[in-house]
Amino acid sequence: MKKELYYKYFEEKILPSMYVFEDYRLKIVRKVILTSIFMFLLGIFCAFLFIYLSIKHNIAIILLPIFLFLMYVFFIKSIINVICTGKDYQKWLVDKILPYFFEPVANFKFWPKNHDIASILNSNLFPNFDTQEDLETIFGIYNNTNIIISDSRLKLPVKGAQRPDLFKGTIIQLELPKAINNHVILLSKNLRKVNKYKQINPNIQELNRYLYAFAKNSKNLEFLNKDFWQIIKRFGELYTAKTFSLSYDKDVMIIALAQKRPWQFGFLFKSLLKAKNYDDLIERFIVIFELVDYLCNSVE
């Protein structure tokens, strides 16, 4: 039902503003196609000259490496031009289009950055880090739950101007209306264990295959069931995460999803005027709402 709500909101509220952006997208598409075709034709021309000179003009053999080099340059440039333009376009989508999808359901707003580092430290999801650097943070309320979503970097405590990232991706924080008397941690099996809690094995074979589970004590673990697993495993799929980690401490849940390009969505050759073309973005919001609904209904 929430997807239909987003679709309806798109048709009534967002679509009228999208025509200008669609014209801009079409200009980019035309430009990148013409540029890439031109580069490709130059590559073909250099390939023709290379073949022609190698067969007909032995005296010009010194030119052969030059034309061979130019042939590869133009062919590669025609491909790189599309890739780089696509990446720039995705960044433009985040800056210009993403805010239009904040209002439905949770009424998200831009929020102060780096505001709740204490919760991340208390989560025990990460070893020691020096600073938190958020590029963007939004805040919304759904089902009496505060939702904070950040495009975040956690920096390693290394001296120097270029400090490496301990974590790069999306951090989702839920401040729930109900609390559990426990601290539960889930970690991808490609992550290092960073807590001293006892490892547990929920009766969910698929979860145990991909995640380590830890708990401070044996209380309030009923929420760790197949319904919960069906929801959280979609986070990794929808956010194209390299790693997944989750902390549920009292009334605060933190989900950290390591990503190469956080918050990216859309595709250069997809129209901005069709609601279904935003499914990858809409589903990322919806899975959060589904998790909130589940926790609010399952935690006593």
Side-chain angles (χ1 to χ4, degrees):
M1 291 298 292
K2 290 184 177 64
K3 181 178 283 190
E4 284 72 21
L5 190 154
Y6 271 98
Y7 281 0
K8 182 179 179 182
Y9 183 87
F10 177 84
E11 296 294 336
E12 295 177 356
K13 302 290 185 180
I14 299 177
L15 183 58
S17 302
M18 288 296 108
Y19 290 99
V20 173
F21 295 124
E22 177 67 2
D23 289 341
Y24 176 72
R25 183 190 72 85
L26 292 174
K27 288 179 182 178
I28 295 176
V29 170
R30 286 193 290 268
K31 181 179 179 181
V32 73
I33 289 176
L34 290 174
T35 303
S36 293
I37 289 175
F38 178 70
M39 293 291 179
F40 188 78
L41 291 175
L42 285 177
I44 292 176
F45 178 70
C46 290
F48 171 79
L49 287 178
F50 174 80
I51 296 172
Y52 179 77
L53 291 174
S54 64
I55 295 175
K56 297 292 184 180
H57 298 276
N58 294 329
I59 194 171
I61 196 164
I62 192 173
L63 297 176
L64 293 180
I66 297 175
F67 285 113
L68 182 63
F69 172 76
L70 290 175
M71 178 186 71
Y72 281 113
V73 167
F74 288 128
F75 281 149
I76 294 172
K77 181 66 176 176
S78 67
I79 299 171
I80 291 178
N81 181 52
V82 176
I83 295 172
C84 291
T85 303
K87 288 182 178 179
D88 291 340
Y89 175 75
Q90 285 189 324
K91 185 179 183 303
W92 177 83
L93 285 176
V94 172
D95 294 338
K96 300 296 184 181
I97 306 301
L98 177 62
Y100 283 92
F101 290 84
F102 286 171
E103 188 169 335
V105 185
N107 196 24
F108 285 103
K109 306 289 185 184
F110 283 110
W111 201 245
K113 302 173 184 178
N114 312 327
H115 80 288
D116 199 6
I117 193 170
S119 295
I120 297 176
L121 288 168
N122 294 335
S123 71
N124 288 334
L125 293 180
F126 304 101
N128 186 35
F129 61 91
D130 184 62
T131 56
Q132 176 191 4
E133 297 178 1
D134 292 341
L135 300 185
E136 298 289 352
T137 298
I138 59 175
F139 170 84
I141 300 176
Y142 170 74
N143 200 356
N144 297 317
T145 298
N146 295 335
I147 303 172
I148 303 169
I149 308 174
S150 299
D151 177 359
S152 190
R153 311 287 185 274
L154 302 180
K155 298 290 184 178
L156 285 167
V158 178
K159 293 182 179 180
Q162 297 295 326
R163 290 175 298 160
D165 292 325
L166 169 66
F167 171 86
K168 173 184 176 181
T170 299
I171 294 180
I172 301 167
Q173 178 174 319
L174 308 177
E175 297 175 1
L176 296 150
K178 298 178 182 180
I180 61 170
N181 182 23
N182 207 341
H183 185 181
V184 178
I185 292 176
L186 301 177
L187 297 173
S188 298
K189 289 198 171 181
N190 57 344
L191 285 171
R192 183 165 61 91
K193 303 176 186 180
V194 293
N195 67 88
K196 298 180 181 179
Y197 295 153
K198 181 180 179 181
Q199 185 170 346
I200 59 174
N201 291 296
N203 190 26
I204 310 165
Q205 185 176 359
E206 192 177 14
L207 183 150
N208 293 327
R209 187 184 308 150
Y210 295 106
L211 302 176
Y212 291 117
F214 307 89
K216 187 176 182 180
N217 56 59
S218 58
K219 299 178 181 179
N220 303 116
L221 297 176
E222 294 80 9
F223 73 92
L224 283 173
N225 55 38
K226 292 183 178 179
D227 292 333
F228 176 75
W229 167 244
Q230 291 303 316
I231 295 173
I232 65 167
K233 76 176 184 178
R234 293 183 60 223
F235 278 89
E237 299 166 358
L238 295 170
Y239 285 82
T240 58
K242 295 184 291 183
T243 64
F244 172 93
S245 52
L246 179 149
S247 164
Y248 191 5
D249 183 16
K250 300 180 178 64
D251 63 341
V252 175
M253 177 174 285
I254 290 181
I255 299 172
L257 301 147
Q259 299 164 278
K260 187 176 181 180
R261 297 194 299 273
W263 288 27
Q264 297 298 301
F265 68 96
F267 181 55
L268 178 61
F269 297 100
K270 282 187 176 182
S271 171
L272 295 175
L273 305 181
K274 296 180 180 179
K276 67 178 183 179
N277 288 344
Y278 299 93
D279 278 356
D280 52 346
L281 172 62
I282 292 171
E283 291 287 353
R284 293 180 194 176
F285 286 123
I286 290 176
V287 73
I288 298 174
F289 304 144
E290 290 177 348
L291 178 60
V292 169
D293 286 337
Y294 172 79
L295 294 172
C296 288
N297 293 329
S298 64
V299 176
E300 298 296 334

